[in-house]
Amino acid sequence: MRIGLIGTGRIGTFHAEVLSRHPAVDALLLADADPERAVGAAARTGAAAVPVDGLFTGEGAAGGPPDAVVICSATSAHADLIARAARAGLPVFCEKPIALDLPGTLAALAEVEAAGSVLQLGFMRRFDTGYGEARAAVREGRLGRLHTVRAVTSDPAPPPAAYLPLSGGLYRDCLVHDFDILRWVTGREVSEVYATGSDAGPAMFREAGDVDTAAALLTLDDGTLATATATRCNGSGYDVRMELAGERDQIAVGLDDRTPLTSAEPGGPGAPAKPWPGFLERFAPAYEAELDAFLRVARGELANPCDGREALHALRIAEACEVSRRERRPVAMTEIPGG
């Protein structure tokens, strides 16, 4: 297969390295709004650097356009690139989100559906072994009636200040992963949210109109209660966990010898010797698995494991949380367009 990849920043370069060694990939074409960055990434991965337009027209790309496209560009460009790929008949893998707002998301999905093309979104936690086991435990009834879910996403350090105004905010950029995986693991929909946030940390969050720490209480459609918390300021390391408690048993995802958590109990486990430093290290196998799945989807060998409508559901929950935080009230999901 010939694969085109747009956006050679941190996650784009990581994906390029994965694709460059995948046995199904015969040629890898890299493009970036900064052509020099694409050239550098191509040199490191044995790929070819081409203009962004060249991925859709074949111009400047020996052998013509690719068979499928992976989008890792700046978020503001996602919707337009998805639409261009759809009109060109190219299957697309795109890092979340489709767009930072519901109108942009719905417009891009309309393009994909009108073209009858494929769009897979990058919610990598669906490909993590622990979350997969949790899903099986819930679906098989091993926990009994599920009554409580607790999700945690904690970054070890804030992103660059310039990123914050472009990120969409903590709910859309960070907690959206928890909202997606909550639906995927439990098989239930969120019916109502109540959310709050704190900007008491670095001043750059207040300046961007964002929060550095957030919490949401989510009521699922069967009455299960879920909490989701996130922070950009977890100095002990990268911490992503999910705890699921039922009437019969309870389990935890992301609890291992690298979880940056220290017991306060005498004789309890101490701080890990090598805590997770970031998302690329923690979820490296999941990132590889989702790209492998995309290549199989593009070849018609596998049903799409995370299509654009799945991303829309997660974004709607994030939107509801933003409304709740701003207006300091519970928000029913029926209030959010796009359902």
Side-chain angles (χ1 to χ4, degrees), residues 103-167:
T105 299
L106 292 168
L109 289 177
E111 292 268 12
V112 171
E113 289 164 6
S117 59
V118 170
L119 170 62
Q120 180 182 327
L121 263 291
F123 282 110
M124 76 291 186
R125 295 186 194 181
R126 292 182 177 219
F127 298 87
D128 177 76
T129 301
Y131 284 108
E133 172 59 22
R135 186 177 196 260
V138 172
R139 303 301 179 89
E140 294 168 9
R142 282 185 257 150
L143 306 184
R145 181 185 69 85
L146 188 66
H147 53 75
T148 307
V149 181
R150 293 176 285 270
V152 176
T153 295
S154 300
D155 288 334
Y163 173 76
L164 294 178
L166 309 174
S167 71

Side-chain angles (χ1 to χ4, degrees), residues 10 28 36 44 61 70 91 98 111 163 166 217 253-254 289 305 319:
R10 180 169 56 161
L28 181 61
E36 301 238 346
R44 292 191 297 274
V70 174
I98 294 172
E111 292 268 12
Y163 173 76
L166 309 174
L217 172 63
V253 178
E319 291 287 330

Side-chain angles (χ1 to χ4, degrees), residues 95-96 122-125 153 171-182 287 314:
E95 280 298 329
K96 63 84 189 164
F123 282 110
M124 76 291 186
R125 295 186 194 181
T153 295
Y171 293 105
R172 298 185 191 94
D173 181 54
C174 185
L175 276 165
V176 71
H177 281 288
D178 297 277
F179 302 149
D180 175 73
I181 206 64
L182 174 64
Y287 279 118

Side-chain angles (χ1 to χ4, degrees), residues 8 22 37 63 80 103 142 153 169 193 198 215 224 249 290 305 329-330:
T8 52
H22 195 287
R37 189 161 70 170
D80 178 63
R142 282 185 257 150
T153 295
V193 310
S198 170
T224 301
D249 199 2
E290 72 175 356
R329 66 176 179 87

